[in-house]
Amino acid sequence: MTTVPTVDAMTTASRTARHPSTLATLWRSTVGKKAVMAVSGLAMLLYLVAHMLGNLKVFFGPDDINGYAAWLRTIGQPFLGHEWFLWIARVGLLAAVVLHGVAAFQLSRRDLAARPSKYAHQRRRASYATRTMRWGGVILALFIVWHILDLTTLTVNPAAEHGRPYQNIVASFGNWYSCVIYIVAMLAVGLHVRHGFWSAAQTLGANNARRDRLLKLTANGLALLLTAGFLSVPVAVMTGVVK
Amino acid sequence: MNLTLRIWRQAGPDTPGSMTTYQVGGISPDMSFLEMLDTLNEELILRGDAPVAFDHDCREGICGACGMVINGRAHGPERTTTCQLHMRHFEDGDTIDVEPWRAAAFPVVKDLVVDRSAFDRIIGAGGYITAPTGSAPDAHATPVPKEAADTAFEHAECIGCGACVAACPNGSAMLFTSAKVVHLNVLPQGGPERASRVMNMVEAMDAEGFGGCTNTGECATACPKGIPLPSIAAMNREYLRSSLRGGR
């Protein structure tokens, strides 16, 4: 009766004696850590959609987008003070970026350790978007730093006019390197979202055989929409549509 | 058929291995891949060389014992087990690379043989139903909805060959574990241990040093039994449901 010990282990495994908290259990397991990545990723994706739509206001002229930027600072008033909403959003986004990055780093290290020796016969695996998630993520993290220095703190912005994003955008995309950095980063966003959105649905258990195709189509649509929307601004500045 | 084989030779778990080239002739296109290796081994034995060690048992595609990476694909170019792969899928004069499953959790024992007992330990953590044994119960003692029966059967087809782990760039056992979890968790008989099963099996899977899932889909492409990729989503759903409810 070799099965008896395992059955005993199962029936007595109520784990009532010591029960780690739900969050600790999630963070310690690969499945749970992926769920953290999925939730933080979806939060950032939601922000990106809003950000992209807001950017399109640049096509309605300086007053429109500058007014929009000023309005963002008044959200929640008088319950919240001036710029409070913006700071709450920034703290939330920072938390999402940090959680996403730390989880990705820890999971990647684990994944690489789980496959220490390569096959002698190499062949192409998975799609480009899937294979570039890790380095694409690093590129995006570096871009976020550059982007904040360029258009939030205005440290590296050629115009650096506070409260006048239209002028800052036009000045920034007047530099070729600024355009190159932005375009590369937005292509990386598209690729990251293309795999990331579907992957998040899979990780959170929202996928099934019937929904798989729809989720992949949504991921592609979102990726395309975000990349096209974001890229329209530097392209408009470079072609002189926005000046 | 005459073939050039490049086979991973490794004398033992702690000795370094390498790809070694062999020529083999007189291969019939109707031979299975394992019969082709048997032919090579007979020649090697006659020459006084050590035969290539590989796992095999039923040779009819249902036991999951055989498994090797052929030209970079788990079980080779066809979606089947290595024993059911026939030489007609190769051309005369081909060079074929044969390697063992590669994963930290599947250490090489010898040549193409790897230790897959990590899978047994995952099963031991919850891949069964704790039920009184004895005489067989009446077939309809517990009604099972048709859809649940179909899902359970689809997942019960997993033979634990390890192709999913071998194909995964992260050496992840998510597809295997999800097949076992979903198989039992959709059935009424598996219901009482639904939460503890998924929590304990995922914990055991992580403890064995398998990687995580990055949703590359390589596992489901390699699976000879066609366990679908959404199974992993189903296991994730079970895991999150159990942990958010306090687990086990």
Side-chain angles (χ1 to χ4, degrees), chain A residues 1 6-7 9-11 13-15 19-20 22 25-26 28-32 34-35 107 110-127 130 134 195 198-210 212 216, chain B residues 19 69 71-73 97 99-104 124-126 128 130 147 165-171 174 193 196-197 199-200 202-203 205-207 209-216 218 229-230 232-233 236-237 239-240 243-244 246-248:
Chain A
M1 290 294 279
T6 40
V7 172
M10 183 70 153
T11 46
S14 63
R15 303 283 198 278
H19 208 291
T22 302
T25 310
L26 281 177
R28 277 213 304 264
S29 86
T30 53
V31 175
K34 282 278 291 183
L107 284 167
R110 196 194 155 87
D111 293 348
L112 294 174
R115 171 56 84 68
S117 33
K118 303 256 169 287
Y119 288 111
H121 189 109
Q122 292 281 334
R123 61 180 188 85
R124 174 144 299 182
R125 288 157 181 277
S127 72
T130 310
R134 287 174 188 148
H195 179 73
W198 171 79
S199 190
Q202 177 87 356
T203 300
L204 294 176
N207 195 14
N208 61 35
R210 266 167 308 219
D212 193 56
K216 278 187 174 146
Chain B
M19 298 295 278
V69 171
N71 284 343
R73 286 175 185 274
D97 289 336
E99 299 169 73
W101 287 170
R102 292 285 186 205
Y128 52 84
T130 309
E147 201 178 331
V165 175
C168 178
N170 311 324
M174 287 286 279
E193 288 156 329
S196 60
R197 174 174 301 112
M199 299 301 284
N200 294 339
V202 167
E203 195 176 282
M205 177 187 82
D206 285 348
F210 290 105
C213 179
T214 49
N215 296 310
T216 64
E218 294 286 348
L229 192 57
I232 293 178
N236 289 335
R237 189 159 60 239
Y239 184 87
L240 294 174
S243 46
L244 293 179
R248 312 189 227 247

Side-chain angles (χ1 to χ4, degrees), chain B residues 85-138:
Chain B
L85 172 68
H86 291 93
M87 296 314 294
R88 66 183 78 100
H89 298 294
F90 298 90
E91 302 286 330
D92 184 36
D94 270 1
T95 299
I96 306 174
D97 289 336
V98 191
E99 299 169 73
W101 287 170
R102 292 285 186 205
F106 284 170
V108 173
V109 177
K110 188 181 183 185
D111 297 340
L112 304 174
V113 178
V114 297
D115 180 359
R116 283 173 286 189
S117 48
F119 270 11
D120 297 337
R121 290 187 288 272
I122 295 176
I123 297 263
Y128 52 84
I129 287 168
T130 309
T133 53
S135 57
D138 287 340

Side-chain angles (χ1 to χ4, degrees), chain B:
Chain B
M1 293 171 81
N2 293 308
L3 298 166
T4 305
L5 297 166
R6 298 203 310 144
I7 303 178
W8 181 262
R9 299 304 307 262
Q10 183 173 339
D14 301 319
T15 42
S18 64
M19 298 295 278
T20 309
T21 308
Y22 298 98
Q23 305 292 335
V24 64
I27 299 299
S28 154
D30 296 330
M31 279 183 178
S32 74
F33 200 86
L34 298 187
E35 284 165 339
M36 184 275 292
L37 287 179
D38 290 339
T39 309
L40 170 71
N41 276 347
E42 281 168 9
E43 285 178 24
L44 290 179
I45 292 166
L46 284 177
R47 267 196 264 156
D49 292 342
V52 178
F54 61 90
D55 270 329
H56 63 103
D57 192 7
C58 75
R59 297 217 179 189
E60 55 185 18
I62 54 163
C63 77
C66 63
M68 51 196 77
V69 171
I70 302 163
N71 284 343
R73 286 175 185 274
H75 294 300
E78 294 292 301
R79 189 167 177 165
T80 182
T81 54
T82 307
C83 62
Q84 293 298 302
L85 172 68
H86 291 93
M87 296 314 294
R88 66 183 78 100
H89 298 294
F90 298 90
E91 302 286 330
D92 184 36
D94 270 1
T95 299
I96 306 174
D97 289 336
V98 191
E99 299 169 73
W101 287 170
R102 292 285 186 205
F106 284 170
V108 173
V109 177
K110 188 181 183 185
D111 297 340
L112 304 174
V113 178
V114 297
D115 180 359
R116 283 173 286 189
S117 48
F119 270 11
D120 297 337
R121 290 187 288 272
I122 295 176
I123 297 263
Y128 52 84
I129 287 168
T130 309
T133 53
S135 57
D138 287 340
H140 292 309
T142 310
V144 179
K146 172 74 172 132
E147 201 178 331
D150 287 347
T151 307
F153 193 81
E154 186 180 25
H155 291 84
E157 281 191 63
C158 170
I159 52 177
C161 66
C164 45
V165 175
C168 178
N170 311 324
S172 173
M174 287 286 279
L175 194 70
F176 166 79
T177 311
S178 72
K180 300 300 169 195
V181 166
V182 175
H183 163 206
L184 298 175
N185 273 21
V186 296
L187 290 173
Q189 290 89 339
E193 288 156 329
R194 190 176 164 185
S196 60
R197 174 174 301 112
V198 65
M199 299 301 284
N200 294 339
M201 287 183 80
V202 167
E203 195 176 282
M205 177 187 82
D206 285 348
E208 292 294 339
F210 290 105
C213 179
T214 49
N215 296 310
T216 64
E218 294 286 348
C219 53
T221 311
C223 177
K225 296 295 161 183
I227 306 296
L229 192 57
S231 297
I232 293 178
M235 178 170 78
N236 289 335
R237 189 159 60 239
E238 290 291 310
Y239 184 87
L240 294 174
R241 175 184 176 276
S242 302
S243 46
L244 293 179
R245 289 182 178 193
R248 312 189 227 247

